[in-house]
Amino acid sequence: EPEVTQTPSHQVTQMGQEVILRCVPISNHLYFYWYRQILGQKVEFLVSFYNNEISEKSEIFDDQFSVERPDGSNFTLKIRSTKLEDSAMYFCASSVESGTYEQYFGPGTRLTVT
Amino acid sequence: GENVEQHPSTLSVQEGDSAVIKCTYSDSASNYFPWYKQELGKGPQLIIDIRSNVGEKKDQRIAVTLNKTAKHFSLHITETQPEDSAVYFCAASEPAGKSTFGDGTTLTVKP
């Protein structure tokens, strides 16, 4: 069964460093999302992406965040200058369509900022 | 923006009993309501969903109900088993795809 994959599974970085989190969505999906989950808290929407453009973003997704689909398969989240409070699980998701269609989540990348 | 409230935050039941988790949402534009099960160290896994034009949906031991007028929806798990123990999240999705999650319910099924 097709699945969303994410790399790395765990990333440790120092405050102020740039990190890139990578995702490979399901191949026939057209809509891509990033969510984050701070330990013990709920899943929070960051951004949705369609047709090489951001469709929607939350207030969390400020100028230090960016997303890109550099080729036909990868979808990346870049955090330019990490802060301690960026430590969280970051989940990528994809769906065939937006709105009333299932979003399939990857296993997540645990980001630890020290 | 959308606000989703989920209750209870923790739920403990005996194996074989039923479990009910309730959510309310605020934005009438939300039209898709998925439920996710999250096991430790894993991403959310969709277990059932309901669209705004449907009032109830059932899949084996799991059912979801939606009351659009009252803006609330519920997850019902019957004949619970220890492997049902996990954190369950409800979510409300807008037409553009943004999903707002509830705070989660930690379900413990005691053998």
Side-chain angles (χ1 to χ4, degrees), chain B:
Chain B
E2 177 64 275
N3 181 47
V4 176
E5 295 192 357
Q6 182 172 345
H7 300 280
S9 55
T10 60
L11 180 59
S12 181
V13 299
Q14 285 296 134
E15 183 177 359
D17 287 350
S18 294
V20 180
I21 302 171
K22 298 183 179 182
C23 289
T24 60
Y25 64 100
S26 61
D27 190 347
S28 56
S30 291
N31 59 355
Y32 173 65
F33 306 92
W35 284 89
Y36 295 93
K37 177 182 181 183
Q38 187 177 30
E39 296 173 324
L40 202 61
K42 296 186 179 178
Q45 297 297 310
L46 180 74
I47 56 171
I48 196 166
D49 56 11
I50 192 165
R51 291 172 173 81
S52 59
N53 59 347
V54 175
E56 186 172 355
K57 183 177 177 181
K58 190 173 181 182
D59 182 4
Q60 300 183 335
R61 298 187 295 109
I62 297 172
V64 57
T65 58
L66 171 66
N67 183 326
K68 276 183 60 179
T69 304
K71 295 195 184 74
H72 63 71
F73 56 114
S74 301
L75 176 72
H76 304 250
I77 305 174
T78 58
E79 300 171 27
T80 53
Q81 301 165 3
E83 50 265 37
D84 293 330
S85 296
V87 180
Y88 290 81
F89 290 97
C90 64
S93 293
E94 301 166 17
K98 174 185 175 182
S99 288
T100 301
F101 282 67
D103 287 339
T105 296
T106 300
L107 174 65
T108 303
V109 180
K110 293 185 268 190

Side-chain angles (χ1 to χ4, degrees), chain A residues 94-114:
Chain A
S94 68
S95 63
V96 173
E97 292 276 356
S98 69
T100 60
Y101 285 81
E102 298 89 336
Q103 293 183 19
Y104 293 85
F105 281 74
T109 292
R110 178 169 298 284
L111 177 65
T112 302
V113 182
T114 61

Side-chain angles (χ1 to χ4, degrees), chain A residues 1-113:
Chain A
E1 185 176 321
E3 57 183 20
V4 176
T5 59
Q6 289 185 243
T7 55
S9 57
H10 190 191
Q11 173 89 47
V12 181
T13 190
Q14 288 193 326
M15 196 167 51
Q17 295 297 304
E18 174 184 286
V19 295
I20 297 176
L21 310 183
R22 291 183 167 80
C23 167
V24 179
I26 294 173
S27 61
N28 64 332
H29 286 188
L30 301 177
Y31 291 79
F32 314 113
Y33 312 86
W34 283 102
Y35 293 84
R36 81 171 185 191
Q37 185 178 32
I38 295 170
L39 188 63
Q41 298 185 22
K42 66 180 173 184
V43 178
E44 299 174 288
F45 170 81
L46 291 178
V47 66
S48 59
F49 190 86
Y50 169 70
N51 200 25
N52 283 320
E53 287 185 349
I54 290 174
S55 306
E56 193 167 357
K57 59 183 181 179
S58 71
E59 54 277 6
I60 302 169
F61 194 88
D62 61 22
D63 291 344
Q64 69 161 341
F65 290 92
S66 61
V67 289
E68 194 179 30
R69 189 155 161 82
D71 53 43
S73 58
N74 289 284
F75 179 51
T76 62
L77 174 70
K78 182 193 288 187
I79 309 175
R80 245 179 292 280
S81 177
T82 49
K83 305 183 186 115
L84 294 176
E85 53 265 37
D86 293 327
S87 295
M89 282 289 285
Y90 287 81
F91 294 106
C92 172
S94 68
S95 63
V96 173
E97 292 276 356
S98 69
T100 60
Y101 285 81
E102 298 89 336
Q103 293 183 19
Y104 293 85
F105 281 74
T109 292
R110 178 169 298 284
L111 177 65
T112 302
V113 182

